[in-house]
Amino acid sequence: GSKDEGDWLLGPLRDLKPEIDTFAPMEPIGLSYLHGDPETPVPVLSDQAVIDDLPQPAIDAFVEKAGPGAQTALLMAELRQMGGAFGRSDAGHGALDLIDGGFVAFAGGMPVDAAVAAAIERDSRELMQAMGEYGHGRSYSNFAERAVDAREFYPEETYRQLRAIRERVDPDGLLRANHEIA
């Protein structure tokens, strides 16, 4: 739509006086900067979980662990909405043809020293545990930065098929991946 239509749609959100407002017309390259990630690599420790739904108790748990007033070492805590293409299966989508959850919870921090690293590990794990009852035990492989059993990414039948392929194609385990199909 037009800029005027966009301004009208965003009006109620802007009335809340957000600290950051990145809604604006932009060239496609601008999309890569919207999240505000550093442009150069930085060390981060993180954790994640796929969440099915966000009832009020889930939101309360998230805010308690990572919101204003929370004593946390986390630099960021996010709930990213899934659905759309993430939630649709279609021919050619590959082994993981959809993400079967409504949201991905993600939290991380910069481990500037060993004490902060330990605090980040603790706080991110506690946040994901608090959110865990609102999911179904799945993980999102793109955000899984620590060792995760690859069975957490795939439906049971898909994982069984991947194991059969692995046994047939690479029985000696020469091919390596971030999250091994054991």
Side-chain angles (χ1 to χ4, degrees):
S2 71
K3 181 174 182 342
D4 289 341
E5 289 172 314
D7 288 341
W8 178 81
L9 286 170
L10 293 169
L13 292 173
R14 289 186 167 139
D15 288 346
L16 297 172
K17 301 191 182 347
E19 290 185 37
I20 300 172
D21 180 349
T22 58
F23 287 99
M26 68 176 63
E27 298 295 319
I29 189 68
L31 296 174
S32 62
Y33 299 103
L34 278 179
H35 192 262
D37 287 337
E39 293 186 33
T40 58
V42 296
V44 173
L45 293 173
S46 67
D47 207 347
Q48 51 71 42
V50 175
I51 308 301
D52 295 327
D53 197 13
L54 284 176
Q56 190 62 48
I59 295 168
D60 293 343
F62 189 87
V63 171
E64 177 187 332
K65 295 290 184 184
Q71 298 296 314
T72 181
L74 299 174
L75 179 63
M76 64 185 127
E78 305 173 348
L79 292 166
R80 294 190 182 193
Q81 189 170 10
M82 302 304 275
F86 284 108
R88 286 192 302 268
S89 180
D90 199 3
H93 277 197
L96 187 59
D97 63 338
L98 59 86
I99 305 297
D100 58 344
F103 302 85
V104 171
F106 179 76
M110 293 179 64
V112 295
D113 60 36
V116 172
I120 293 166
E121 291 281 352
R122 178 198 66 229
D123 294 348
S124 63
R125 206 162 294 223
E126 285 180 7
L127 176 59
M128 294 311 134
Q129 287 171 347
M131 300 306 295
E133 71 180 87
Y134 305 101
H136 56 282
R138 284 276 171 75
S139 292
Y140 182 51
S141 61
N142 287 17
F143 289 171
E145 296 178 345
R146 62 170 57 106
V148 174
D149 186 332
R151 286 179 284 217
E152 292 183 22
F153 306 133
Y154 305 100
E156 189 175 318
E157 175 59 19
T158 301
Y159 187 78
R160 187 191 64 69
Q161 291 173 348
L162 290 171
R163 285 192 55 178
I165 293 168
R166 174 77 187 253
E167 289 171 12
R168 187 177 74 245
V169 174
D170 187 26
D172 298 324
L174 297 176
L175 301 176
R176 307 303 289 175
N178 291 347
H179 307 289
E180 290 292 325
I181 303 295

